[in-house]
Amino acid sequence: MTRPDLTRPSIKGLCLLGLFGAVTGCSVGPQHPTTPLSLAPAVPSFTIAPAAGPAQQFQAGGEPAADWWRQFGSPALDALVDRALAANNDLASADAALRQARQQAAAASGAALPQVDAGYQAQRIRSSRTLSNPLQDPDDYLYTLHTAQVTVAYPLDVFGGGRSRIKSARAAGEVAADKFEAARLTVISNLVLAVIQRASLGAQIEAAQSAIRDNRTMLDLLRKRQLIGDVGAADVASQQTALATAEGVLPTLQKQYDHEEGLIATLIGVAPGSALPAMPGLEELSLPASLPLSMPSAIVAHRPDVRAAEAQMRGAGADVGTAIAARLPSITLSGSFGGEAAAFASMFASGNPFWSLIGGVAQPIFHGGQLLHQQHAAEAALDGAKAGYRAAVLQAFGDVNDALSGLRTDAQALDAAARAMAAADQNLLFVHRQLELGSVGTLGLLNASAADAQAHSQQIQARTARLSDTVALIQAVGGGVSAIGR
């Protein structure tokens, strides 16, 4: 029997078919999906009034330094951030998700290349005498068959479904990278804010303890004056009430202080209640001398959550292309070459090698509307991703606007609180002297003491707010751009 000559014509035809697929291949679906930001309200203009209190300059068009937390001038804070970056569990989880997404993107790219597989099989076979040739030697009923072959398969991506899957996988990798950046910025910002809040609560606890000592001193003075009949029992009782009120503030502050220490422990990767490294006090934290004021375009480019939303939108657009390509014809090429013989050494001897070349085209005809509905679902996901991107951009602008508004008012509040505290301290000093001389009433004493405690608390809170809103502005403009590869 003459074997048909498939060598030259078939190989030539398959090469031409592959060339046709490479030349005429096209991608379906949106290639670079965008969304008009003009659908959103106009980008607000950021106007900064001169800051009162410690000087802070706003750099229009500036960007935060990659290690922006060092601008607070605290080596203890720097050490805490370094520890959090090395041991925080949220960052470890985000890093694992990033590595997974990158490997999946690499796997998707590999799926578009020719697939080559090699195989070897050895069989020990005994034939049935009934089904064998009657003249066959009985010793030939038992024999060994060796088979080895190499198979090559290649799907021609004529309509870009494979390329769309690669784009989607790469976009998912970019989303994971941006989410890692967002997690990194969040961890650093939350840690800095927790350290600031802990320092603030520590200062408030000291102020509360000072107020308690002052009230005890004044109570002792009133009791002495009561003994000589200068004041009555009602005056002493009023001061006892004031002392108890001051003492009642302390447990709440201590509870909040312990909570912040537990939060710091979690952020640096240790169990709450564990011994913590050195922490800066409120006076050890300096306001950064200059703050970045990024332009709206830079905010969109640098905010990791906005970048993640943009990558999510591109990935959704690629998924639409994949869904469309699934409804179009698919072309595959495959070939195999091998040998088969009873002896291992004879598999590729004359007459034993075999080969095959196969080309196939498949066109979906009826899938109960499944493929069409999948395309519509992908298009709906793209619309949702576009809306998510617009929302992320607006949220970014809103965060910057809130932080700037806070900084504008914080400086004024801090200046007013500092003046009020100085006046209250001076007034309380005068009242103490008058009390010692017996020329002040209980009401004046109580008012001066309460005003002084409130002024100290307001000054601490105003300083804390300015430090916290400084962190909020840096976080709102995207933090320092790190060297994460995309």
Side-chain angles (χ1 to χ4, degrees), residues 205-299:
I205 288 173
E206 290 179 4
Q209 291 172 339
S210 177
I212 291 172
R213 288 193 297 269
D214 289 342
N215 277 281
R216 284 175 178 167
T217 299
M218 288 184 285
L219 179 60
D220 291 340
L221 288 173
L222 287 173
R223 282 174 173 167
K224 291 177 182 178
R225 292 179 61 186
Q226 183 186 23
L227 291 176
I228 62 175
D230 199 13
V231 297
D235 296 317
V236 174
S238 297
Q239 183 57 36
Q240 288 174 332
T241 302
L243 174 60
T245 301
E247 290 174 337
V249 173
L250 196 57
T252 301
L253 293 175
Q254 188 64 52
K255 177 182 178 181
Q256 295 172 349
Y257 182 87
D258 294 341
H259 171 77
E260 294 300 327
E261 287 206 330
L263 177 59
I264 292 171
T266 302
L267 289 170
I268 64 175
V270 300
S274 304
L276 295 177
M279 300 277 181
L282 191 61
E283 297 302 323
E284 300 173 51
L285 297 170
S286 304
L287 280 169
S290 62
L291 292 177
L293 185 55
S294 300
M295 295 298 100
S297 58
I299 295 172

